[in-house]
Amino acid sequence: MKNYDVVIIGAGASGLMCALAAGQRGRKVLVLEHTERMGNKILISGGGSCNFTNLYLKSEHYISGNPHFCKSALSRFSQHNFISLAEKHNISYQQRQLGQLFCNGNAVEILNLLLEECRLSDVKIQNRSTIKKIEKDNYFTVMTNSKNYVTESLVIATGGLSMPTIGATGFGYEVAGQFGLKVLSRQPGLVPLTFSNNDLENFSDLSGISADAAVSCNGQSFRDSILFTHRGVSGPVILQISNYWQPGDEVIINLLPDVDLAKTIKQWQKERPKTELKNLIGELITRRVANRWLELWYYNKPVNQYKEKEINEVADIFHAWHIRPSGTEGYRVAEVTRGGVDTNELSSKTFEARKMKGLYFIGEVVDVTGWLGGYNLQWAWSSGFCAGQFV
Ligand SMILES: Cc1cc2nc3c(=O)[nH]c(=O)nc-3n(C[C@H](O)[C@H](O)[C@H](O)COP(=O)(O)OP(=O)(O)OC[C@H]3O[C@@H](n4cnc5c(N)ncnc54)[C@H](O)[C@@H]3O)c2cc1C
């Protein structure tokens, strides 16, 4: 005999959203969470202010083996639906750059919203639940360290692999494997990139410097700030491009995206001919970067001594700095996991597995990864809410 209509594994963003939506339909819902606390990632998201969605959300801002898969859920539960929910709970928020919406207060307000809606719908949430085994007969039986639960619908909302210290596990992929669903290879996403040995020697002492930059890789470009670290490069623009980077790929960085450096040098030749080039470029970008670039790739001299060919070469080293990262900083710090349960295995309407009636996958465990800027939480809300209509 079943004792729940719906058991959801994972009390994160997507699991809680699915729970409240199913609860509102009158379904008897249990959420099982293995850590002490619910919504750990929500609490640390957006630097503690939770970038909970993005006003300018587009499906093109998601990466997936099937770029169409996310469209239906994102339109059925859009950023505007989540904004209405936040407003219903009197959460005050602000728009930052590129349509990113953050709480004015603390991320805990978003978690409290979800927990309150779950409470109103009589959703039961059980923390410190270790799942030992899942069996399927007519119903699913979920065996935990304390009890066994029998349910008609089983929702896997266990997220990705990033930040294992706050509860991330590969459990969702194991369940997919158990029921014969294909899981695509996974990689850390929205993650700092590490320098090759040579670059490490040349640039690690620039750690702490940040600059505006345009960065491209594999045909995708972003513009935002870059941060030099002891081991490589980070900052929003690097996190964004990391979603498109594959091991071995080159990343091209324009450190002066607003300037036509060749043209500017010619201007300087007329206006400030005796000034050394490194000092002039040091007015456009941090002096230490200007010095280092000229030390490594060119020679510094008064600006009037540069010939046309040299001017173009100098412009190139600032406009197209090529690096071939040795890797990423890994799941320890990655904000998301790229790859995951193959979307071809799931219905984009219900999130139910095509091969296993009653089994659903939502949120980050699915092969849908968003850009930085509120896209990943919106995916969790959209997929969770939509699955919640069918479980
Ligand atoms: C530092 C950081 C900052 C971020 N900031 C933002 C942001 O501002 N905006 C944004 O859009 N996205 C942000 N993200 C990404 C976003 O938090 C995630 O994409 C989103 O939380 C995914 O939701 P989810 O429900 O799929 O997984 P999660 O929210 O990770 O929830 C999964 C839950 O399942 C539980 N779980 C795992 N394994 C088991 C198991 N075996 N048994 C039981 N429970 C289990 C976990 O403990 C967790 O509670 C950030 C991520 C990080 C790491």
Side-chain angles (χ1 to χ4, degrees):
M1 260 264 293
K2 69 170 179 174
N3 40 22
Y4 282 94
D5 295 323
V6 186
V7 168
I8 298 170
I9 304 181
S14 63
L16 292 173
M17 178 55 88
C18 183
L20 73 86
Q24 284 166 358
R25 286 175 46 237
R27 302 289 276 162
K28 190 176 174 202
V29 183
L30 170 70
V31 184
L32 296 172
E33 166 61 45
H34 73 141
T35 67
E36 184 84 29
R37 221 170 42 168
M38 328 306 160
N40 280 323
K41 274 193 196 160
I42 297 173
L43 293 174
I44 58 165
S45 65
S49 302
C50 189
N51 178 193
F52 56 84
T53 191
N54 193 297
L55 265 188
Y56 309 139
L57 192 115
K58 285 187 187 157
S59 62
E60 297 93 87
H61 297 169
Y62 290 87
I63 303 151
S64 169
N66 174 2
H68 303 292
F69 181 83
C70 62
K71 289 181 180 171
S72 165
L74 290 172
S75 66
R76 281 179 291 142
F77 189 85
S78 72
Q79 66 272 41
H80 304 292
N81 294 106
F82 194 83
I83 292 166
S84 301
L85 190 56
E87 287 173 352
K88 179 181 151 201
H89 284 258
N90 296 319
I91 294 177
S92 79
Y93 58 89
Q94 56 176 287
Q95 183 183 342
R96 298 198 192 156
Q97 58 165 355
L98 306 169
Q100 300 169 2
L101 299 189
F102 285 78
C103 297
N104 282 330
N106 193 283
V108 74
E109 293 173 37
I110 298 290
L111 178 59
N112 287 344
L113 169 169
L114 298 166
L115 294 175
E116 174 61 6
E117 291 286 339
C118 283
R119 191 187 64 77
L120 292 172
S121 307
D122 286 331
V123 170
K124 184 165 189 294
I125 304 176
Q126 182 69 57
N127 61 348
R128 283 182 275 172
S129 270
T130 305
I131 317 294
K132 302 277 193 201
K133 205 173 173 191
I134 295 171
E135 282 178 358
K136 172 77 166 75
D137 198 352
N138 275 346
Y139 295 125
F140 292 92
T141 303
V142 181
M143 300 169 198
T144 76
N145 50 337
S146 57
K147 268 188 182 166
N148 293 351
Y149 301 98
V150 180
T151 179
E152 190 179 337
S153 294
L154 177 64
V155 183
I156 307 301
T158 45
L161 295 167
S162 59
M163 300 220 167
T165 46
I166 56 165
T169 70
F171 182 79
Y173 312 119
E174 288 163 29
V175 177
Q178 178 185 342
F179 291 100
L181 275 64
K182 189 172 169 195
V183 179
L184 301 179
S185 69
R186 281 133 289 152
Q187 243 177 282
L190 299 180
V191 64
L193 299 172
T194 51
F195 283 139
S196 63
N197 284 343
N198 201 25
D199 286 344
L200 197 62
E201 219 167 88
N202 290 331
F203 308 114
S204 63
D205 65 323
L206 298 179
S207 172
I209 292 177
S210 76
D212 182 27
V215 175
S216 49
C217 180
N218 285 324
Q220 186 68 42
S221 303
F222 291 96
R223 169 86 185 265
D224 209 319
S225 62
I226 185 172
L227 173 71
F228 287 82
T229 71
H230 287 294
R231 291 162 46 88
V233 276
S234 184
V237 77
I238 294 297
L239 301 193
Q240 294 281 32
I241 209 70
S242 73
N243 270 353
Y244 292 86
W245 180 82
Q246 294 294 341
D249 287 344
E250 215 174 43
V251 174
I252 301 168
I253 302 169
N254 181 352
L255 290 164
L256 291 171
D258 281 331
V259 177
D260 179 337
L261 188 57
K263 206 166 143 195
T264 308
I265 292 174
K266 286 175 197 162
Q267 194 73 25
W268 286 330
Q269 288 184 319
K270 287 187 208 138
E271 293 166 4
R272 302 163 73 183
K274 301 272 184 248
T275 313
E276 288 188 6
L277 184 63
K278 69 175 184 187
N279 295 334
L280 290 165
I281 298 180
E283 291 171 11
L284 301 177
I285 190 171
T286 321
R287 195 170 283 270
R288 280 168 67 202
V289 170
N291 291 353
R292 181 62 48 83
W293 259 239
L294 287 171
E295 268 163 39
L296 285 172
W297 290 296
Y298 233 78
Y299 36 90
N300 177 49
K301 52 188 179 179
V303 70
N304 62 352
Q305 295 179 19
Y306 287 85
K307 306 228 164 24
E308 174 86 20
K309 181 168 171 282
E310 294 173 307
I311 291 172
N312 291 331
E313 285 168 359
V314 170
D316 255 12
I317 63 172
F318 285 92
H319 285 314
W321 173 36
H322 290 240
I323 59 168
R324 202 178 290 281
S326 62
T328 73
E329 289 286 1
Y331 291 116
R332 188 179 51 86
V333 296
E335 287 201 8
V336 288
T337 301
R338 290 158 60 190
V341 176
D342 190 343
T343 53
N344 291 320
E345 300 281 8
L346 307 174
S347 154
S348 61
K349 184 176 173 199
T350 64
F351 292 86
E352 189 174 23
R354 296 186 193 285
K355 289 179 186 147
M356 181 53 61
K357 196 171 162 2
L359 179 65
Y360 298 77
F361 289 82
I362 54 172
E364 202 181 308
V365 72
V366 179
D367 170 37
V368 174
T369 306
W371 285 9
L372 188 76
Y375 294 96
N376 287 295
L377 281 173
Q378 183 60 47
W379 172 244
W381 314 138
S382 299
S383 57
F385 182 86
C386 290
Q389 307 309 308
F390 296 93
V391 289

